[in-house]
Amino acid sequence: MDIPVLKRLLAANDAVADQNARRLAQWKIFTVNLIGAPGCGKTKLLEASLERLRGKPRAAVIEGDIRTSLDAERLSGYETPVVQINTEPFGGDCHLEATAISGALDMIDLAKTDLLFIENVGNLVCPAEFKVGEDAKVVALSVTEGEDKPLKYPLAFRESELLVITKIDLVEHLEIDLDRIEANARQIHPAIEVLRVSAKTGEGIDRWLSWVFGRLSKKRPEA
Amino acid sequence: MDIPVLKRLLAANDAVADQNARRLAQWKIFTVNLIGAPGCGKTKLLEASLERLRGKPRAAVIEGDIRTSLDAERLSGYETPVVQINTEPFGGDCHLEATAISGALDMIDLAKTDLLFIENVGNLVCPAEFKVGEDAKVVALSVTEGEDKPLKYPLAFRESELLVITKIDLVEHLEIDLDRIEANARQIHPAIEVLRVSAKTGEGIDRWLSWVFGRLSKKRPEA
């Protein structure tokens, strides 16, 4: 009983995700679906990004949380439109679905947007199962979470084009081998790209933004 | 359509959870359902616990992961039976359900067990929705995850009797206010108990085990 229901839900989601993708393609907006565990540093990575972008290129953010607009508040003040989605009224969903993104896109001036960052609900499992219309999923994993996470939560790493290892400023206080994290991620997804960043010190943020700009320019080869 | 299906699934789960609870009550086994985000230190907390217990009282562990038996391997060698549940064959479930625990209980000598630790799949959202037959849910939150998590993931904190704040040895390297974490947790669940621990340094582990022993003795008032 459950599996046909789940398949139907996923198929319905994917149809709306495809609509979102077409709509974003019309405006040539490069869209990242950023996933990762609670507290892995997704919002902090976006803060550091928006701080540097300051509207060039023009970014927009969709924040997904079960409850509160705390993350949207953190991201206000960067000359960047931020739309908060709360999933609690919809059953406390543990992930963003395409329909929620469709509604959020109505609230963004797409003609004035080059980049769209979607910060998913903090969860290393369920968001990986749902397309929302993004060009790329990116998974964030903090150095405090341990080396084994790609092996234990494989779908998030298989579905993501890029792994951003966050909070590398803490490495010196931990027993953690970043090469081992990378090797485990590549065991699951050999082609995954990997970047190491600290939004606190700024290390690696330029490389992360270069990756974003590279993907944006592929979407806009004429620009 | 979705909500009746979800309600039916939850009702079916709760019926099996009640069976599990009755079975555990017959043997007067105090059972903790330990939930928390990936990498928040659940396994490390259990390692530190089993290291101290060394069979007195007699513990058993059920490890829930989507994939791998890495956690069960970490917990072997403590004179404690460990059963690994992998949810990947069952659709990659992001949480443990009561049926999985029922099967795992068959693999444990309940007559020789006083305490049962169930380590749920690393996820601060979905495990909070499912009873599995436990006496108490306990939520682990690491200091690296930030102060806002109780507000953003309220169900896990509302459902848990105890919040264990983990990795407090890292506080000096972070901008984090532990009192703020506690205040946010109590805003969601005024009666929640809170402990601060570091499994690395051992700080607070005795208080955590005292909490466990206190709950065990309530279940066995004659002992």
Side-chain angles (χ1 to χ4, degrees), chain B residues 128-207:
Chain B
E129 296 176 26
F130 291 83
K131 291 197 293 183
V132 297
E134 70 271 21
D135 291 292
K137 282 193 175 73
V138 172
V139 59
L141 179 74
S142 89
V143 296
T144 63
E145 293 177 62
E147 297 150 0
D148 56 354
K149 295 303 168 294
L151 305 179
K152 291 172 65 180
Y153 303 88
L155 191 64
F157 296 84
R158 195 177 298 131
E159 292 290 320
S160 294
E161 294 187 27
L162 174 68
L163 161 61
V164 180
I165 302 176
T166 60
K167 307 192 191 184
I168 59 168
D169 56 285
L170 291 174
V171 164
E172 61 184 303
H173 309 298
L174 303 168
E175 290 156 30
I176 187 93
D177 179 350
L178 298 189
D179 292 336
R180 172 61 50 193
I181 296 176
E182 292 202 18
N184 286 341
R186 293 205 169 92
Q187 184 177 326
I188 298 298
H189 182 176
I192 197 167
E193 295 179 77
V194 184
L195 292 173
R196 302 174 179 191
V197 310
S198 165
K200 188 174 179 182
T201 67
E203 189 177 348
I205 298 296
D206 284 339
R207 286 193 294 278

XYZ file of all heavy atoms in Angstrom, chain B residues 128-207:
627
model
N 11.082 12.021 15.616
C 10.246 12.539 16.707
C 8.783 12.165 16.530
O 8.013 12.175 17.488
C 10.399 14.067 16.786
N 8.396 11.824 15.295
C 6.981 11.545 15.018
C 6.586 10.113 15.348
O 5.407 9.793 15.370
C 6.680 11.798 13.533
C 6.855 13.252 13.130
C 6.656 13.455 11.635
O 5.930 12.655 11.006
O 7.240 14.413 11.095
N 7.564 9.252 15.552
C 7.274 7.821 15.660
C 7.643 7.265 17.025
O 8.809 7.312 17.427
C 8.037 7.047 14.577
C 7.528 7.311 13.194
C 7.955 8.423 12.482
C 6.585 6.473 12.624
C 7.464 8.686 11.212
C 6.092 6.729 11.359
C 6.527 7.840 10.652
N 6.646 6.741 17.739
C 6.917 5.942 18.932
C 7.407 4.566 18.483
O 6.957 4.046 17.454
C 5.627 5.722 19.731
C 5.075 6.957 20.379
C 4.071 6.582 21.473
C 2.809 5.941 20.907
N 1.817 5.635 21.953
N 8.318 3.989 19.239
C 8.762 2.629 18.905
C 8.599 1.689 20.089
O 8.967 0.521 20.004
C 10.230 2.610 18.404
C 10.376 3.414 17.120
C 11.188 3.126 19.490
N 8.047 2.207 21.207
C 7.887 1.393 22.405
C 8.767 1.852 23.551
O 8.859 1.192 24.587
N 9.397 2.997 23.405
C 10.354 3.510 24.387
C 9.643 4.022 25.635
O 8.480 4.401 25.610
C 11.169 4.653 23.769
C 10.402 5.943 23.503
C 9.748 5.976 22.130
O 9.538 4.895 21.526
O 9.421 7.082 21.668
N 10.407 4.081 26.743
C 9.942 4.796 27.930
C 10.143 6.295 27.771
O 9.343 7.090 28.264
C 10.724 4.323 29.169
C 10.382 2.901 29.534
O 9.248 2.662 29.957
O 11.252 2.030 29.352
N 11.238 6.666 27.139
C 11.545 8.100 27.010
C 12.294 8.347 25.718
O 13.186 7.582 25.338
C 12.392 8.575 28.194
N 11.919 9.423 25.070
C 12.772 9.950 24.011
C 13.771 10.905 24.658
O 13.440 11.653 25.590
C 11.954 10.718 22.968
C 11.201 9.847 21.969
C 10.682 10.689 20.804
C 10.029 9.808 19.746
N 8.714 9.288 20.172
N 15.001 10.865 24.161
C 16.048 11.793 24.574
C 16.604 12.414 23.298
O 16.899 11.699 22.337
C 17.174 11.063 25.338
C 18.354 11.996 25.588
C 16.643 10.481 26.652
N 16.698 13.739 23.287
C 17.235 14.401 22.095
C 18.648 14.889 22.398
O 18.909 15.486 23.449
C 16.320 15.559 21.624
C 16.116 16.630 22.693
C 16.841 16.184 20.339
N 19.557 14.591 21.475
C 20.936 15.075 21.576
C 21.119 16.218 20.591
O 20.680 16.139 19.438
C 21.920 13.949 21.271
N 21.755 17.284 21.060
C 22.024 18.451 20.207
C 23.455 18.876 20.478
O 23.818 19.115 21.639
C 21.062 19.596 20.564
C 21.226 20.897 19.774
C 20.686 20.736 18.356
C 20.504 22.053 20.469
N 24.264 18.960 19.456
C 25.658 19.342 19.691
C 25.796 20.858 19.702
O 25.018 21.575 19.053
C 26.568 18.719 18.633
O 26.692 19.556 17.522
N 26.785 21.331 20.429
C 26.984 22.777 20.557
C 27.310 23.425 19.221
O 27.133 24.636 19.059
C 28.111 23.108 21.563
C 27.722 22.653 22.959
C 29.441 22.477 21.146
N 27.760 22.630 18.263
C 28.090 23.219 16.950
C 26.845 23.495 16.116
O 26.938 24.138 15.082
C 28.996 22.267 16.138
O 28.283 21.055 15.874
C 30.271 21.936 16.889
N 25.702 23.007 16.537
C 24.501 23.142 15.701
C 23.791 24.479 15.862
O 22.905 24.801 15.068
C 23.515 21.994 16.001
C 24.046 20.644 15.568
C 23.090 19.520 15.939
O 21.959 19.527 15.441
O 23.472 18.648 16.744
N 24.114 25.229 16.895
C 23.510 26.550 17.036
C 22.392 26.587 18.060
O 21.813 25.572 18.417
N 22.102 27.813 18.482
C 21.159 28.017 19.584
C 19.700 27.894 19.161
O 18.810 27.685 19.993
C 21.382 29.427 20.174
C 22.758 29.608 20.772
C 23.248 31.038 20.689
O 22.518 31.904 20.161
O 24.380 31.285 21.151
N 19.454 28.054 17.867
C 18.072 28.199 17.396
C 17.359 26.877 17.123
O 16.173 26.870 16.822
C 18.053 29.067 16.124
C 18.952 28.499 15.019
O 19.667 27.501 15.279
O 18.938 29.048 13.904
N 18.069 25.771 17.241
C 17.495 24.510 16.776
C 16.214 24.088 17.504
O 15.296 23.581 16.863
C 18.547 23.389 16.804
C 19.694 23.627 15.823
C 19.250 23.794 14.400
C 20.318 24.320 13.455
N 20.784 25.702 13.714
N 16.095 24.293 18.835
C 14.812 23.915 19.453
C 13.622 24.672 18.847
O 12.522 24.114 18.736
C 15.018 24.290 20.929
C 16.492 24.202 21.139
C 17.086 24.708 19.851
N 13.856 25.914 18.460
C 12.763 26.701 17.880
C 12.442 26.243 16.461
O 11.288 26.296 16.027
C 13.140 28.187 17.864
C 13.536 28.771 19.230
C 13.905 30.239 19.074
C 12.408 28.600 20.240
N 13.458 25.802 15.753
C 13.254 25.442 14.352
C 12.792 24.001 14.174
O 12.211 23.663 13.141
C 14.544 25.684 13.558
C 14.862 27.169 13.435
C 16.224 27.406 12.837
C 16.301 26.935 11.408
N 17.653 27.176 10.850
N 13.102 23.154 15.140
C 12.719 21.729 15.060
C 11.974 21.371 16.338
O 12.426 20.535 17.129
C 13.975 20.861 14.884
C 14.783 21.243 13.669
C 15.755 22.231 13.741
C 14.526 20.656 12.429
C 16.463 22.628 12.616
C 15.233 21.039 11.306
C 16.201 22.020 11.405
O 16.896 22.404 10.289
N 10.814 21.989 16.564
C 10.198 21.916 17.903
C 9.743 20.520 18.313
O 9.820 20.185 19.496
C 9.014 22.889 17.793
C 8.757 23.055 16.335
C 10.078 22.901 15.650
N 9.301 19.705 17.379
C 8.700 18.435 17.799
C 9.697 17.557 18.560
O 9.334 16.926 19.570
C 8.131 17.675 16.588
C 7.251 16.478 16.961
C 6.002 16.916 17.710
C 6.874 15.675 15.719
N 10.919 17.510 18.099
C 11.921 16.662 18.764
C 12.099 17.078 20.221
O 12.315 16.234 21.096
C 13.253 16.743 18.029
N 12.003 18.378 20.481
C 12.206 18.871 21.843
C 10.929 18.736 22.676
O 10.996 18.532 23.878
C 12.725 20.315 21.786
C 14.078 20.394 21.131
C 14.190 20.455 19.748
C 15.234 20.329 21.889
C 15.438 20.466 19.126
C 16.484 20.337 21.280
C 16.583 20.399 19.893
N 9.779 18.842 22.005
C 8.516 18.676 22.720
C 8.326 17.222 23.137
O 7.775 16.931 24.204
C 7.364 19.137 21.817
C 6.059 19.361 22.548
C 4.976 19.900 21.604
N 5.343 21.180 21.042
C 5.278 21.486 19.743
N 4.867 20.596 18.868
N 5.643 22.677 19.317
N 8.774 16.285 22.311
C 8.566 14.856 22.560
C 9.598 14.263 23.516
O 9.409 13.153 24.010
C 8.606 14.083 21.240
C 7.447 14.369 20.297
C 6.135 13.806 20.829
O 6.163 12.693 21.372
O 5.098 14.485 20.716
N 10.690 14.985 23.749
C 11.791 14.407 24.534
C 11.698 14.828 25.994
O 11.384 15.969 26.303
C 13.138 14.841 23.945
O 13.298 14.279 22.655
N 11.991 13.900 26.897
C 12.019 14.221 28.322
C 13.318 14.898 28.713
O 13.381 15.623 29.706
C 11.867 12.945 29.159
C 10.517 12.309 28.974
C 10.316 11.147 29.931
O 10.921 11.144 31.014
O 9.553 10.239 29.567
N 14.360 14.620 27.932
C 15.696 15.097 28.275
C 16.382 15.606 27.020
O 16.324 14.965 25.961
C 16.512 13.937 28.886
C 17.986 14.193 29.173
C 18.150 15.212 30.298
C 18.698 12.890 29.524
N 17.022 16.752 27.155
C 17.924 17.272 26.120
C 19.347 17.077 26.608
O 19.705 17.567 27.698
C 17.642 18.761 25.884
C 18.746 19.585 25.197
C 19.053 19.058 23.797
C 18.356 21.062 25.153
N 20.155 16.377 25.841
C 21.580 16.247 26.141
C 22.338 17.140 25.174
O 22.341 16.889 23.968
C 22.054 14.786 26.023
C 23.550 14.690 26.341
C 21.266 13.879 26.968
N 22.935 18.190 25.704
C 23.762 19.075 24.880
C 25.157 18.457 24.829
O 25.815 18.304 25.867
C 23.815 20.498 25.459
C 22.389 21.069 25.575
C 24.693 21.395 24.591
C 22.332 22.441 26.240
N 25.606 18.102 23.645
C 26.836 17.322 23.478
C 27.995 18.204 22.991
O 27.793 19.338 22.566
C 26.625 16.183 22.460
O 26.248 16.766 21.215
C 25.550 15.220 22.925
N 29.180 17.631 23.062
C 30.408 18.267 22.544
C 30.709 19.595 23.233
O 31.203 20.528 22.593
C 30.328 18.478 21.015
C 29.985 17.212 20.227
C 30.209 17.397 18.744
C 29.614 16.233 17.958
N 29.857 16.289 16.525
N 30.438 19.685 24.538
C 30.656 20.973 25.198
C 32.138 21.325 25.294
O 32.483 22.476 25.566
C 29.993 21.035 26.603
C 30.539 19.950 27.528
C 28.480 20.974 26.521
C 30.132 20.147 28.981
N 33.022 20.351 25.036
C 34.451 20.686 24.983
C 34.774 21.668 23.859
O 35.821 22.321 23.887
C 35.271 19.402 24.815
C 34.850 18.605 23.598
O 33.789 17.945 23.628
O 35.556 18.627 22.584
N 33.867 21.794 22.877
C 34.133 22.702 21.746
C 33.642 24.127 21.989
O 33.888 25.008 21.151
C 33.479 22.155 20.470
C 34.091 20.877 19.890
C 33.248 20.386 18.713
C 35.530 21.136 19.423
N 32.958 24.344 23.106
C 32.322 25.651 23.323
C 33.312 26.796 23.206
O 33.010 27.851 22.642
C 31.598 25.685 24.688
C 31.279 27.114 25.109
C 30.316 24.877 24.622
N 34.520 26.586 23.734
C 35.482 27.699 23.745
C 35.888 28.132 22.340
O 36.411 29.238 22.165
C 36.721 27.304 24.563
C 37.442 26.096 24.002
C 38.616 25.660 24.895
O 39.498 26.495 25.133
O 38.639 24.498 25.342
N 35.645 27.289 21.350
C 36.031 27.638 19.978
C 34.853 28.181 19.170
O 34.972 28.411 17.970
C 36.592 26.404 19.265
C 37.660 25.701 20.050
N 38.841 26.319 20.386
C 37.718 24.457 20.584
C 39.582 25.484 21.098
N 38.923 24.348 21.230
N 33.722 28.340 19.808
C 32.494 28.712 19.101
C 31.905 29.970 19.703
O 32.217 30.329 20.839
C 31.456 27.577 19.221
C 31.860 26.196 18.715
C 30.847 25.158 19.181
C 31.956 26.174 17.201
N 31.033 30.601 18.944
C 30.221 31.679 19.507
C 28.858 31.082 19.821
O 27.960 31.073 18.967
C 30.092 32.830 18.500
C 31.395 33.586 18.295
C 31.438 34.288 16.950
O 30.367 34.670 16.442
O 32.551 34.403 16.405
N 28.727 30.533 21.003
C 27.494 29.815 21.335
C 27.183 30.054 22.809
O 28.078 30.104 23.638
C 27.639 28.299 21.038
C 26.323 27.555 21.206
C 28.693 27.641 21.915
C 25.548 27.438 19.959
N 25.910 30.215 23.103
C 25.455 30.481 24.467
C 24.597 29.294 24.906
O 23.462 29.127 24.455
C 24.652 31.785 24.469
C 24.107 32.130 25.851
O 24.178 31.295 26.772
O 23.594 33.259 25.993
N 25.153 28.463 25.796
C 24.427 27.252 26.200
C 23.139 27.589 26.943
O 22.142 26.863 26.840
C 25.316 26.352 27.069
C 26.588 25.810 26.400
C 27.258 24.768 27.302
C 26.308 25.203 25.049
N 23.160 28.676 27.700
C 21.930 29.086 28.391
C 20.829 29.411 27.391
O 19.646 29.178 27.644
C 22.199 30.303 29.284
C 23.108 29.963 30.457
O 23.156 28.776 30.848
O 23.766 30.878 30.981
N 21.221 29.976 26.261
C 20.247 30.316 25.216
C 19.646 29.028 24.620
O 18.450 28.960 24.362
C 20.936 31.164 24.144
C 20.149 31.456 22.889
C 18.877 32.220 23.137
N 19.093 33.395 23.969
C 18.116 34.102 24.532
N 16.854 33.733 24.370
N 18.397 35.163 25.268
N 20.489 28.002 24.423
C 19.957 26.712 23.941
C 18.911 26.197 24.926
O 17.806 25.806 24.542
C 21.079 25.657 23.778
C 22.085 26.078 22.711
C 20.473 24.287 23.439
C 23.271 25.113 22.580
N 19.268 26.231 26.218
C 18.331 25.720 27.244
C 17.043 26.533 27.260
O 15.942 25.969 27.351
C 18.990 25.761 28.625
C 20.127 24.777 28.772
C 20.411 24.440 30.247
O 19.547 24.694 31.101
O 21.499 23.892 30.517
N 17.184 27.852 27.191
C 15.987 28.711 27.223
C 15.104 28.424 26.010
O 13.861 28.358 26.124
C 16.403 30.179 27.259
N 15.718 28.238 24.859
C 14.926 27.935 23.657
C 14.235 26.577 23.785
O 13.080 26.420 23.376
C 15.813 27.977 22.410
C 16.172 29.403 22.010
O 15.507 30.356 22.413
N 17.214 29.548 21.214
N 14.935 25.602 24.365
C 14.323 24.281 24.552
C 13.134 24.376 25.512
O 12.079 23.774 25.277
C 15.356 23.280 25.067
N 13.293 25.178 26.577
C 12.207 25.292 27.561
C 11.051 26.131 27.035
O 9.924 26.007 27.506
C 12.758 25.861 28.873
C 13.711 24.884 29.543
C 13.811 25.101 31.045
N 14.535 23.971 31.641
C 15.853 23.939 31.851
N 16.600 24.976 31.545
N 16.420 22.863 32.380
N 11.342 27.003 26.075
C 10.246 27.734 25.431
C 9.323 26.748 24.696
O 8.101 26.910 24.677
C 10.840 28.756 24.450
C 9.797 29.648 23.792
C 10.456 30.679 22.889
O 11.556 31.176 23.158
N 9.783 31.011 21.786
N 9.904 25.717 24.134
C 9.131 24.701 23.416
C 8.533 23.678 24.383
O 7.408 23.213 24.212
C 10.048 23.968 22.392
C 10.576 24.952 21.337
C 9.336 22.786 21.753
C 9.507 25.603 20.505
N 9.290 23.325 25.413
C 8.906 22.246 26.331
C 9.383 22.629 27.732
O 10.509 22.268 28.132
C 9.554 20.933 25.868
C 9.182 19.749 26.699
N 9.602 18.478 26.402
C 8.437 19.636 27.816
C 9.144 17.639 27.314
N 8.435 18.322 28.179
N 8.529 23.338 28.477
C 8.980 23.888 29.768
C 9.525 22.847 30.740
O 10.399 23.164 31.546
C 7.706 24.556 30.311
C 6.910 24.905 29.093
C 7.181 23.792 28.116
N 9.037 21.612 30.687
C 9.450 20.606 31.664
C 10.666 19.799 31.227
O 11.091 18.892 31.935
C 8.286 19.647 31.944
N 11.240 20.133 30.072
C 12.340 19.296 29.582
C 13.544 19.420 30.523
O 13.852 20.497 31.034
C 12.723 19.669 28.122
C 13.556 18.558 27.472
C 13.450 21.014 28.062
C 13.707 18.712 25.960
N 14.172 18.282 30.816
C 15.416 18.296 31.578
C 16.577 18.515 30.612
O 16.483 18.147 29.436
C 15.591 16.978 32.336
C 14.534 16.758 33.411
C 14.744 15.430 34.121
O 15.645 15.330 34.969
O 13.991 14.479 33.807
N 17.658 19.106 31.118
C 18.793 19.413 30.248
C 20.091 18.997 30.925
O 20.299 19.279 32.117
C 18.860 20.920 29.906
C 19.993 21.187 28.914
C 17.535 21.421 29.338
N 20.941 18.320 30.204
C 22.280 17.983 30.679
C 23.297 18.431 29.647
O 23.005 18.445 28.445
C 22.401 16.465 30.888
C 21.575 15.864 32.013
C 21.670 14.348 31.968
C 22.080 16.391 33.367
N 24.476 18.807 30.121
C 25.562 19.231 29.235
C 26.690 18.214 29.357
O 27.178 17.971 30.464
C 26.063 20.616 29.645
C 24.971 21.680 29.639
C 25.474 23.013 30.192
N 24.424 24.019 30.152
C 24.614 25.317 30.372
N 25.837 25.765 30.665
N 23.618 26.170 30.303
N 27.101 17.653 28.243
C 28.112 16.593 28.320
C 29.183 16.767 27.244
O 28.973 17.417 26.219
C 27.489 15.181 28.162
C 26.295 14.980 29.086
C 27.107 14.893 26.725
N 30.313 16.168 27.518
C 31.334 15.942 26.499
C 31.763 14.494 26.612
O 32.389 14.105 27.599
C 32.544 16.851 26.711
O 33.635 16.362 25.937
N 31.424 13.706 25.620
C 31.851 12.303 25.633
C 33.354 12.210 25.448
O 33.970 11.219 25.821
C 31.116 11.523 24.542
N 33.943 13.275 24.898
C 35.390 13.273 24.670
C 36.153 13.425 25.987
O 37.072 12.666 26.272
C 35.743 14.410 23.716
C 37.163 14.427 23.222
C 37.327 15.519 22.173
C 38.756 15.591 21.664
N 38.897 16.690 20.667
N 35.758 14.408 26.802
C 36.453 14.638 28.077
C 35.826 13.848 29.219
O 36.417 13.720 30.286
C 36.409 16.125 28.468
O 35.045 16.485 28.760
C 36.929 17.009 27.340
N 34.595 13.367 29.000
C 33.884 12.651 30.055
C 33.011 13.545 30.913
O 32.231 13.047 31.740
N 33.108 14.850 30.716
C 32.313 15.779 31.531
C 30.821 15.512 31.338
O 30.330 15.442 30.204
C 32.648 17.230 31.139
C 32.021 18.248 32.077
C 32.427 19.684 31.729
O 33.357 19.880 30.929
O 31.782 20.604 32.270
N 30.123 15.368 32.466
C 28.667 15.230 32.407
C 28.167 13.819 32.159
O 26.966 13.566 32.256
N 29.059 12.889 31.832
C 28.610 11.526 31.517
C 28.014 10.860 32.762
O 27.007 10.142 32.673
C 29.773 10.676 30.936
C 30.268 11.292 29.620
C 29.331 9.227 30.740
C 29.248 11.303 28.510
N 28.612 11.126 33.919
C 28.051 10.557 35.156
C 26.630 11.069 35.404
O 25.755 10.307 35.832
C 28.935 10.903 36.357
C 30.201 10.057 36.386
O 30.207 8.980 35.747
O 31.176 10.480 37.034
N 26.412 12.365 35.152
C 25.062 12.909 35.359
C 24.062 12.280 34.385
O 22.922 12.002 34.733
C 25.084 14.443 35.224
C 25.723 15.131 36.418
C 25.463 16.638 36.414
N 26.115 17.304 35.292
C 27.398 17.684 35.263
N 28.170 17.463 36.300
N 27.898 18.289 34.213
